[in-house]
Amino acid sequence: MTIILMSFSKLVSLLVLYLFFCSLENSALAQSAMIRKAQGDLIAIKDSVAFADKLNRIGILFYLKDVDSCFYYGTKAKALSVRLRYIKGETDADNVIAAALYFKGLYKEALELFSKCLTAYRELGDSSNVAQVLSNMSTVYTDMADSPKAISFARQGFELGQQLEGDSIQTLLYLNYCLDHPELPEDTIRHYLTKARAIADKYNDQPMQSLAMLMLPTYMVANNRKPEALPLIRAALDQARNTGMEYLEISTLILYGDCMENKPDSALTYYTLAYKIAEENGYKNFSTQLLNAILKNTELIGNKDQIIQAQKLMASALETDNSNLKKFIGDYTVYSAIREQNDLLEAGNQAKLTQIWTLAGICSVAILLLAFIYYQYRRSRQMNKIISDQNQQLQNTLAALEQSQADNTQMLRVVAHDLRNPIGAMTSIAHLMLDEEPRSDNDRMLLDLLKTSGENSLELVNDLLLMHTRTEELTKEPVDMYQLLQYCVELLHFKAKEKRQHISLTAVHVIAHVNREKIWRVISNLITNAIKFSPNGARISVLLEVKTGKVQIRVKDEGIGIPEDIKDNIFDMFTVSRRPGTAGEQSFGLGLSISRQIVEAHDGVIWYESTPGDGSIFFVELPLETV
């Protein structure tokens, strides 16, 4: 399943933009380590040009982890550079802020700042940054679906990059071009990626090498060739881990998850691992996107506990996004104020003849600022309403899930408990073997018992599957209870013989109106439990007595008994009191619960008497009246 809120191609676009800013250091350190190093360097310098450069550096290092911090450091660098009249620092700060605005989806505002940066870098003669800004503007126009402008800026960046003395910038230009144009033929994509890898290898630029490795599988996934992409994704993931690029590792894991759209369990594993790495390393920007993918795959799997947990995390992430949005609006207002202050400082240097125009410009900026604040205010109110509605919907969903969780859990486990196919196969094989000749009488008796047991078990599966979906009338018939008990004893005689146990039957012929298969299930379950929880060589007694208007059946064993601490819940569905048998037999805690439902459906009662260590007696009373 593909992440909905942000396409994978945009994630890689952000990474390309980030790597250009970091390319000057060409550091092999992980991003978190570079941030700590840059923040530590601030201690050694005061308000200076170097301090402004370092603020810009920290801002771009935060670009992929926390875009709000990126914006914050960019505005700080902008304010300091204005105060120091440091044009290069102002332009770099605008570049950082434009990158943050692009991440926030404010494409128009980002293009405005990128255009300003383009002009300033050209005046400064900084050709490398000019090429980078051209490439960035091409990416923005691609996201805006303005292909002519995107192609135009990409070509300008290519032409300028070829004129530079160093060709390292070409790596990013090639990668950006391939990413922005997935419709290109594969041969063309491979050609540019080969050139990008060659340049990265030339400078031993490991981050660029890793990104180039990821581009081809990204192209394959975009063209629905996911099986071919998987080995390449695996290699890219190993490379990302070796280079310590946490964001690249997260992006690769997301691409892995996108390839598993028909395998929600596998997709959930990769998205969850990506979310864990993002949380551990402070990548706050993508919590909502990853949680959205985790929630959708969890819903496909159907695990209610996981769905509830994912929805709680999503609700928390949405609240955090709302809080961050409010903070971003405040920071943007401060930034706008800084821009206004800069305009005022520039206006102060103008001649008196331009004062009227300066005042007009200030008024225009104020109007634009108010319009922007009003726009952000309306957007904030809309976002608050959407988040409030989503929170209410989540609360209603959580309440509904909590109410139905117990029933749904029981239903799912019942289906898992009794497997239809193995029992059906057993019954079919027994039926085929009965048709074969010759067979001894003993073989035919055993096969007939096996077939009958399988047919009854299949009927039980059908009853369990319908247990919570409809209410059905019991089909009752006159049944000789003596013959029913004798059949149960004979059927389970071989199971008891495995533990050298002996089953005795004391009963009289009495007719009761019951559902034969369901009462057989009850008695078989009680005898099976007696065998399971009795030691080797024990005696098990089955007795039938007729009382006034009732027939009472007792199953007595010499087993381990029932402890006091679990006696009140042994008839619960999937009770926590289930225990292994004396020979290690598995117990699922389902049989007694089903037995009680069947007996009560016959207007009967079931109970027990037990002394720990001295065996148990289970009683079943059924009415004799015709129903």
Side-chain angles (χ1 to χ4, degrees):
M1 181 190 65
T2 304
I3 294 179
I4 302 301
L5 297 182
M6 179 180 293
S7 67
F8 182 79
S9 61
K10 182 169 181 179
L11 293 177
V12 181
S13 296
L14 297 172
L15 182 55
V16 171
L17 177 59
Y18 166 75
L19 287 178
F20 175 83
F21 284 105
C22 297
S23 62
L24 294 177
E25 286 188 2
N26 193 24
S27 175
L29 294 174
Q31 185 189 13
S32 300
M34 288 194 290
I35 291 176
R36 291 193 295 270
K37 179 179 181 300
Q39 289 176 324
D41 292 343
L42 289 179
I43 301 175
I45 55 178
K46 298 180 180 180
D47 285 5
S48 64
V49 168
F51 190 84
D53 288 339
K54 192 61 65 175
L55 286 173
N56 281 320
R57 179 64 181 161
I58 294 174
I60 205 60
L61 287 173
F62 266 109
Y63 178 60
L64 297 179
K65 294 175 74 75
D66 185 356
V67 71
D68 295 310
S69 296
C70 169
F71 184 85
Y72 170 81
Y73 281 103
T75 55
K76 289 293 184 183
K78 174 76 172 181
L80 177 59
S81 297
V82 168
R83 188 166 66 250
L84 296 175
R85 301 182 181 279
Y86 177 36
I87 304 301
K88 176 67 163 57
E90 283 187 58
T91 307
D92 289 342
D94 285 338
N95 208 6
V96 173
I97 294 168
L101 294 176
Y102 166 65
F103 189 101
K104 286 287 188 179
L106 301 176
Y107 298 143
K108 181 179 178 181
E109 292 81 359
L111 284 173
E112 178 183 352
L113 276 181
F114 277 138
S115 297
K116 181 179 178 181
C117 293
L118 185 61
T119 301
Y121 282 136
R122 281 173 173 166
E123 292 175 356
L124 292 169
D126 190 343
S127 298
S128 293
N129 273 315
V130 170
Q132 171 259 323
V133 172
L134 288 169
S135 180
N136 292 343
M137 294 179 73
S138 172
T139 298
V140 177
Y141 279 119
T142 297
D143 283 358
M144 295 175 67
D146 191 340
S147 296
K149 289 185 179 179
I151 294 173
S152 174
F153 281 99
R155 287 177 177 173
Q156 292 180 53
F158 265 125
E159 293 172 359
L160 181 59
Q162 293 172 352
Q163 299 172 13
L164 299 176
E165 292 183 1
D167 57 355
S168 60
I169 186 65
Q170 286 293 97
T171 304
L172 287 162
L173 296 176
Y174 288 139
L175 295 179
N176 240 3
Y177 188 75
C178 292
L179 187 66
D180 291 342
H181 302 284
E183 75 280 358
L184 293 172
E186 182 174 346
D187 290 341
T188 303
I189 295 291
R190 287 184 178 273
H191 170 73
Y192 286 120
L193 292 181
T194 299
K195 297 183 71 172
R197 281 292 297 272
I199 297 172
D201 292 343
K202 176 181 177 181
Y203 294 98
N204 193 27
D205 190 343
Q206 292 184 352
M208 287 300 174
Q209 292 169 346
S210 301
L211 183 57
M213 288 182 65
L214 186 59
M215 295 297 290
L216 184 57
T218 302
Y219 169 83
M220 291 179 173
V221 172
N223 288 275
N224 201 25
R225 294 165 55 191
K226 296 176 181 178
E228 297 178 54
L230 286 175
L232 300 177
I233 297 173
R234 176 75 261 177
L237 180 60
D238 293 337
Q239 178 74 4
R241 288 170 173 168
N242 291 336
T243 57
M245 294 290 293
E246 303 111 344
Y247 181 83
L248 188 59
E249 183 178 357
I250 294 169
S251 300
T252 309
L253 288 169
I254 292 173
L255 188 59
Y256 244 135
D258 290 349
C259 290
M260 302 295 172
E261 58 183 354
N262 295 323
K263 298 178 181 179
D265 286 319
S266 299
L268 179 61
T269 299
Y270 290 115
Y271 289 137
T272 302
L273 181 56
Y275 176 74
K276 180 179 179 182
I277 295 172
E279 288 297 298
E280 289 176 351
N281 293 280
Y283 288 92
K284 302 177 183 179
N285 292 335
F286 309 109
S287 295
T288 303
Q289 289 81 0
L290 285 169
L291 284 173
N292 184 50
I294 290 171
L295 178 58
K296 290 182 181 297
N297 280 279
T298 303
E299 289 173 344
L300 290 176
I301 294 171
N303 187 307
K304 303 303 179 183
D305 291 336
Q306 290 183 355
I307 291 174
I308 292 173
Q309 181 63 25
Q311 288 176 333
K312 289 181 179 178
L313 291 174
M314 176 63 79
S316 177
L318 289 173
E319 291 178 359
T320 301
D321 285 350
N322 183 38
S323 177
N324 290 338
L325 176 62
K326 293 179 181 178
K327 181 178 181 298
F328 179 79
I329 292 173
D331 289 342
Y332 194 87
T333 302
V334 172
Y335 166 70
S336 299
I338 293 174
R339 292 182 62 184
E340 181 180 356
Q341 180 181 6
N342 186 34
D343 291 338
L344 289 172
L345 289 174
E346 291 178 356
N349 296 326
Q350 296 295 326
K352 292 182 179 181
L353 295 178
T354 62
Q355 288 182 355
I356 296 177
W357 295 106
T358 300
L359 291 174
I362 293 174
C363 291
S364 298
V365 170
I367 293 172
L368 290 174
L369 178 60
L370 289 174
F372 178 78
I373 293 174
Y374 177 71
Y375 166 77
Q376 292 292 346
Y377 170 74
R378 289 189 60 186
R379 184 180 178 187
S380 176
R381 290 192 61 183
Q382 292 173 354
M383 289 294 295
N384 286 336
K385 185 178 184 305
I386 293 172
I387 292 172
S388 177
D389 292 341
Q390 289 177 341
N391 286 338
Q392 184 61 45
Q393 183 179 1
L394 286 173
Q395 291 174 1
N396 294 338
T397 302
L398 287 173
L401 287 173
E402 289 171 354
Q403 291 175 1
S404 63
Q405 180 180 5
D407 290 340
N408 289 339
T409 301
Q410 291 175 6
M411 190 62 190
L412 291 174
R413 291 181 179 174
V414 166
V415 174
H417 177 269
D418 289 293
L419 297 175
R420 179 191 298 271
N421 291 340
I423 297 174
M426 175 192 74
T427 306
S428 299
I429 292 172
H431 183 77
L432 291 173
M433 293 179 71
L434 279 171
D435 292 338
E436 293 178 355
E437 296 293 344
R439 293 285 180 190
S440 66
D441 292 340
N442 187 50
D443 286 348
R444 296 190 69 83
M445 180 188 70
L446 291 175
L447 288 171
D448 186 68
L449 289 175
L450 180 61
K451 180 175 75 69
T452 304
S453 176
E455 291 172 347
N456 290 333
S457 297
L458 283 174
E459 182 172 349
L460 169 65
V461 171
N462 293 331
D463 288 344
L464 292 178
L465 289 174
L466 297 174
M467 183 181 298
H468 297 293
T469 59
R470 64 181 175 88
T471 301
E472 60 176 355
E473 293 292 336
L474 288 173
T475 302
K476 297 182 181 180
E477 58 181 317
V479 176
D480 188 326
M481 298 302 294
Y482 175 85
Q483 293 181 356
L484 179 63
L485 294 180
Q486 185 180 37
Y487 172 73
C488 292
V489 170
E490 290 177 355
L491 182 66
L492 296 172
H493 167 73
F494 298 97
K495 186 174 184 68
K497 191 175 180 180
E498 294 175 359
K499 298 176 73 173
R500 302 190 304 278
Q501 298 170 344
H502 176 72
I503 305 175
S504 63
L505 172 63
T506 303
V508 296
H509 291 276
V510 60
I511 302 299
H513 285 77
V514 296
N515 183 288
R516 181 188 300 273
E517 288 76 18
K518 288 181 170 56
I519 294 301
W520 167 85
R521 176 66 180 178
V522 173
I523 303 305
S524 295
N525 182 67
L526 295 179
I527 297 176
T528 299
N529 284 349
I531 294 171
K532 182 186 301 181
F533 296 107
S534 294
N536 293 345
R539 296 181 61 85
I540 298 169
S541 301
V542 181
L543 302 95
L544 182 146
E545 291 183 355
V546 178
K547 299 190 174 183
T548 305
K550 297 179 181 179
V551 58
Q552 184 182 92
I553 304 167
R554 301 196 298 272
V555 179
K556 180 179 180 181
D557 63 52
E558 298 174 352
I560 58 179
I562 301 173
E564 289 291 327
D565 58 338
I566 65 173
K567 67 179 183 178
D568 293 331
N569 55 10
I570 65 169
F571 288 106
D572 294 342
M573 184 75 74
F574 293 103
T575 173
V576 295
S577 61
R578 57 182 182 267
R579 301 172 294 166
T582 57
E585 300 97 329
Q586 188 175 7
S587 177
F588 296 97
L590 180 63
L592 287 177
S593 175
I594 294 177
S595 296
R596 183 174 66 175
Q597 291 180 21
I598 293 173
V599 172
E600 291 178 350
H602 284 79
D603 295 324
V605 292
I606 182 172
W607 75 96
Y608 73 93
E609 296 176 359
S610 179
T611 301
D614 196 26
S616 304
I617 305 174
F618 277 82
F619 299 82
V620 175
E621 276 191 359
L622 299 170
L624 288 174
E625 290 81 6
T626 302
V627 180

